[in-house]
Amino acid sequence: MTARRGSALIVSLWIIAVLSVMVFSFAFEAHQQAGINLFVRERNRVTRLIEPGRILGETILLGFNDAKAWSDGENAKELDEEDRFYLEKRALKFESKCTVGPILLDESDESSGTVTVEIQLAGSGSSNGINVNELYAGGDKNYALRWQMILKASGIDEELEVDAPEADGRGTKRHNLMNLLIASWNNWRDTSTSMMGPLPDLNPQEDDGADEAWYKQLNERLEDEARGKAARNAAKEEMLLPRNGAIPDVKELASVRGFRDFPAVLTGGLLHPDADESEENPRLKGIVNVFGTSGSAKVNVNDCTVEQLLTVPGIFNEDATTDGDTAESEEIARAIVEARTVMPEGEDVDESRDWWPYKDWQDLCRRVSDHANVDVGQEANEYLCYTPDADTVFQMRIVAASMGMTHEAQCECYVKDGKVRYLKWRED
């Protein structure tokens, strides 16, 4: 009897132990699930906060061009009542950089989460290049000179002649390369379907350039030369005619007569890749990264490359005939780019920055001269600008935070037709 009671006690203890483990397990699982739910809830919250941050950034981008420079007589309180973000818009316009926040989503609830938005010019280069659509007869009045400097800086001598193929493929004709390229681009870009006449001072010929009839003949020849149905269909799909308007992508230059015959003009390399380098076969730098397809034909000195500056009179020596002349122009252009990274002396500036934008022509001349002891020609001022325009590409960073958790989005965008348009978007 005693033995049975002992066994029952042991069984009862085992049952209690097992039930205790099960209860503990359920409690732990419930606690863990609560933690997961909290994480998911806060993660969803910071993810959702990206959208208000995007709207906040767009508010700045859509209004910064209307911002006015600081003045002694301004009333900061009135300006703040009229526009909550006037300081940020001003900073973006005149300093090419601004930060908004951190701002509470709900000012009455400190746990509602915050958003911070940072906006600055996107990296220098093609994204903010010179608008090639303005470099034609109906745009920049000095377009031919600008093109000559661009091509000369790339390594093309103004006297260089080439044998360019005819549309029918039955031979070639001698052309001045600069004249061929500039005239052909004008025919592609302008609103006329007729052949453009010769340009001045470039050994002109009446048939420099290419009109719509020229490309139609080229397309017919390429289709006839295609072998097989697939090749002929591909040739038809690749047929292009002059746009007779603004091009949407710089890559379209590769379809223009002259550029299509000598790809190295755009991409760099030997003009004739199958021959040895020589005076008649120079090695080119390539010009595709000089251009963009929006904005103006001016160069924003606060967001530009050395190559883009070498398209500006007063920086590039128009009469350069030797490597020494070209080297002097490159030295001036490099000094302009490098002086942006030197903190101006004797001014109240943001020391946390790693570059400082030029305010105006006088500021540029002074800082460049102090940095490298070089002078920028006065005529350059006509081709330079110091604040972003409506089509400038910006980099925007949005950081959302809530309960110690953060979520970040980065993008590149620009303003067009009253809307912010996005080129890239990435979230962590």
Side-chain angles (χ1 to χ4, degrees), residues 312-315 332 361 364-365 374-382 384:
V312 176
I315 296 175
I332 296 173
W361 171 250
L364 179 143
C365 291
V374 297
D375 295 322
V376 185
Q378 176 66 38
E379 58 269 39
N381 191 31
E382 179 184 348
L384 303 178

Side-chain angles (χ1 to χ4, degrees), residues 85-287:
F85 302 109
Y86 83 96
L87 286 176
E88 288 82 0
K89 293 176 182 178
R90 175 186 289 173
L92 183 59
K93 182 173 181 178
F94 296 103
E95 300 177 25
S96 303
K97 178 181 180 182
C98 76
T99 300
V100 187
I103 294 178
L104 272 171
L105 186 64
D106 183 353
E107 293 184 357
S108 63
D109 181 6
E110 294 186 358
S111 65
S112 62
T114 64
V115 290
T116 303
V117 181
E118 299 174 357
I119 307 174
Q120 61 182 348
L121 294 175
S124 298
S126 58
S127 59
N128 285 330
I130 299 167
N131 186 358
V132 69
N133 287 314
E134 292 297 312
L135 296 182
Y136 80 112
D140 189 334
K141 63 181 181 180
N142 293 319
Y143 77 97
L145 175 61
R146 300 287 300 280
W147 268 109
Q148 289 178 47
M149 287 189 293
I150 291 169
L151 296 172
K152 189 182 292 187
S154 75
I156 298 176
D157 186 271
E158 59 186 4
E159 300 297 330
L160 181 62
E161 294 190 348
V162 294
D163 292 315
E166 296 294 291
D168 59 11
R170 296 178 181 176
T172 61
K173 187 172 181 180
R174 200 74 171 167
H175 291 267
N176 175 280
L177 181 56
M178 280 192 183
N179 203 53
L180 176 68
L181 295 169
I182 300 172
S184 296
W185 160 246
N186 271 281
N187 289 145
W188 189 276
R189 168 66 182 89
D190 65 21
T191 57
S192 171
T193 58
S194 61
M195 179 80 76
M196 179 180 178
L199 299 170
D201 304 323
L202 286 173
N203 301 324
Q205 299 183 57
E206 290 294 338
D207 59 351
D208 283 329
D211 58 6
E212 187 172 296
W214 192 93
Y215 288 97
K216 285 182 178 179
Q217 187 177 26
L218 173 67
N219 290 334
E220 290 173 1
R221 175 174 67 83
L222 294 177
E223 186 179 356
D224 290 341
E225 292 177 352
R227 295 291 179 266
K229 184 177 180 180
R232 285 193 296 273
N233 289 336
K236 287 181 180 180
E237 291 178 2
E238 293 174 1
M239 286 183 178
L240 287 173
L241 296 176
R243 187 171 289 272
N244 298 133
I247 63 174
D249 193 319
V250 174
K251 294 178 182 178
E252 191 170 312
L253 282 171
S255 300
V256 179
R257 186 188 186 191
F259 295 100
R260 67 178 297 142
D261 302 318
F262 305 100
V265 174
L266 293 174
T267 60
L270 288 173
L271 182 65
H272 306 286
D274 297 330
D276 294 333
E277 184 174 352
S278 66
E279 187 174 337
E280 291 75 27
N281 186 28
R283 185 175 296 278
L284 308 180
K285 295 179 181 178
I287 64 174

Side-chain angles (χ1 to χ4, degrees), residues 349-400:
V349 296
D350 180 2
E351 297 185 7
S352 67
R353 299 188 67 146
D354 53 11
W355 69 280
W356 293 264
Y358 298 114
K359 297 178 180 178
D360 50 33
W361 171 250
Q362 289 73 25
D363 184 42
L364 179 143
C365 291
R366 176 180 59 80
R367 289 168 58 185
V368 170
S369 179
D370 290 345
H371 173 69
N373 194 28
V374 297
D375 295 322
V376 185
Q378 176 66 38
E379 58 269 39
N381 191 31
E382 179 184 348
Y383 296 90
L384 303 178
C385 62
Y386 305 87
T387 58
D389 59 31
D391 294 317
T392 296
V393 178
F394 292 95
Q395 178 179 310
M396 182 162 63
R397 177 172 175 260
I398 304 169
V399 179

